[in-house]
Amino acid sequence: MAQPIEDFLAMLAAERGAAANTIAAYRRDLEGAEDAIGNLAAASRDSLASLGAAWSGLAPASVARKASALRQFYGFLLDEGLRQDDPSAALPRPVTRRPLPRILGHDDVETLFAQAEREAESERSEAVRLLTLLELLYGSGLRATELVSLPLSAVPRDAPFLTVTGKGGQQRMVPVSGRAKQALSRWLAIRPEGHFLFPSRGGHLSRVRLFQVLRDLAARAKIDPQKISPHVLRHAFATHLLEGGADLRVLQTLLGHADIATTQIYTHVDSARLVALVNERHPLAQRAGRD
């Protein structure tokens, strides 16, 4: 790996507070581009233009992500005086649309919880841990990384909140439901020793393992495992709160979104309520009712 790339990644960590997963993603994209065209720091516009063909089999969103990483890298080189020109204009600019989140219905959520609660009645450590994980994913809307990396100190003794460190090292307070608090109490009474809330072999439970235990639970609950993931449960948290009348700004805070435009994607699921609201509250609708 060329030194300019290492310096760029170090800048992401130090100045932008980028998370380890974000830095790893940038590294993969930059390494892949360098494998394709050689030294990125010295690459020409023609070399960058050739990446369009190399990426032709990728989805537009993947191409856009890779091109964005390269554009930021060349912006860094300019700022540091390591290049006098920016060749990134030659990179492809695919038209992408933000995909709508996969939605889990209320019935599936209830079925999933019923299965987890039945299994937790055994008081087996793995079953109680799984119920606690499920409660925090759906009840508090945590990201997978935020959840598995929670230190034990994030759980307060009295206040019904968790202190969560999200993307970019930003901290936020996340409310814990009464149900989740009960599950947490059960788990804290039997959890192994360790710095993390969900310890595992000297560290914490991995994101991959979290993904696996959720899909295994879905299979036991007779739900298609492909429908279930930590992120789908986070989407369900947001969607169902919005259906219940939650304010979009409040939802933005709970999810830890830096930009409310990211949160607004959830508004599409509440279209039926919005149509009813217009029919009931719009002045012309009220006038038609009087007529």
Side-chain angles (χ1 to χ4, degrees):
M1 177 65 69
Q3 190 59 45
I5 295 179
E6 293 292 353
D7 292 342
F8 170 67
L9 296 175
M11 180 277 294
L12 290 179
E15 297 183 15
R16 301 188 191 176
N21 289 335
T22 301
I23 293 173
Y26 275 96
R27 182 184 293 276
R28 286 193 298 271
D29 288 339
L30 294 175
E31 282 180 345
E34 193 158 67
D35 288 343
I37 64 173
N39 183 6
L40 287 183
S44 66
R45 289 174 60 95
D46 289 342
S47 295
L48 291 185
S50 70
L51 286 171
W55 295 341
S56 61
L58 300 177
S62 297
V63 174
R65 189 198 69 239
K66 291 176 180 294
S68 174
L70 286 168
R71 278 192 288 272
Q72 292 180 65
F73 173 65
Y74 287 111
F76 167 78
L77 295 184
L78 279 174
D79 291 342
E80 295 295 310
L82 299 175
R83 278 194 75 130
Q84 301 304 312
D85 66 316
D86 182 356
S88 65
L91 289 166
R93 292 180 176 271
V95 177
T96 62
R97 291 193 306 169
R98 184 185 292 272
L100 296 178
R102 284 188 290 162
I103 303 302
L104 196 64
H106 292 274
D107 290 344
D108 282 340
V109 170
E110 291 176 5
T111 301
L112 201 63
F113 269 94
Q115 181 68 29
E117 288 164 354
R118 282 194 298 271
E119 294 178 4
E121 289 174 359
S122 68
E123 296 298 331
R124 288 186 302 107
S125 174
E126 295 84 355
V128 175
R129 183 186 69 175
L130 179 53
L131 178 60
T132 308
L133 291 167
L134 193 61
E135 289 283 3
L136 291 176
L137 281 170
Y138 178 69
S140 299
L142 300 184
R143 298 179 178 94
T145 299
E146 294 171 347
L147 177 59
V148 297
S149 63
L150 277 174
L152 187 59
S153 59
V155 184
R157 292 183 178 180
D158 300 316
F161 292 94
L162 292 175
T163 302
V164 177
T165 301
K167 289 186 175 181
Q170 297 296 312
Q171 287 194 329
R172 70 185 190 277
M173 300 294 287
V174 176
V176 178
S177 69
R179 288 170 48 104
K181 197 170 183 179
Q182 290 179 358
L184 269 170
S185 296
R186 292 172 68 183
W187 170 240
L188 289 172
I190 61 174
R191 62 176 286 280
E193 292 295 322
H195 169 70
F196 296 100
L197 179 58
F198 301 103
S200 178
R201 296 183 182 179
H204 58 68
L205 183 73
S206 71
R207 295 167 67 245
V208 171
R209 184 59 184 152
L210 174 62
F211 189 99
Q212 290 171 340
V213 296
L214 286 174
R215 290 209 161 173
D216 289 344
L217 174 66
R220 295 193 297 273
K222 304 297 189 292
I223 298 172
D224 180 2
Q226 299 300 317
K227 295 172 63 176
I228 306 297
S229 74
H231 213 59
V232 167
L233 286 166
R234 175 172 157 87
H235 287 323
F237 162 82
T239 301
H240 297 164
L241 271 184
L242 197 62
E243 287 176 352
D247 179 83
L248 204 60
R249 286 290 181 185
V250 171
L251 193 58
Q252 177 190 6
T253 300
L254 293 176
L255 293 172
H257 287 161
D259 187 347
I260 197 170
T262 307
T263 317
Q264 286 174 330
I265 195 169
Y266 293 103
T267 59
H268 83 284
V269 303
D270 211 14
S271 58
R273 188 174 70 89
L274 293 176
V275 169
L277 181 65
V278 170
N279 287 336
E280 293 171 7
R281 303 294 183 180
H282 194 280
L284 291 180
Q286 295 174 4
R287 178 181 174 184
R290 289 194 300 271
D291 293 342

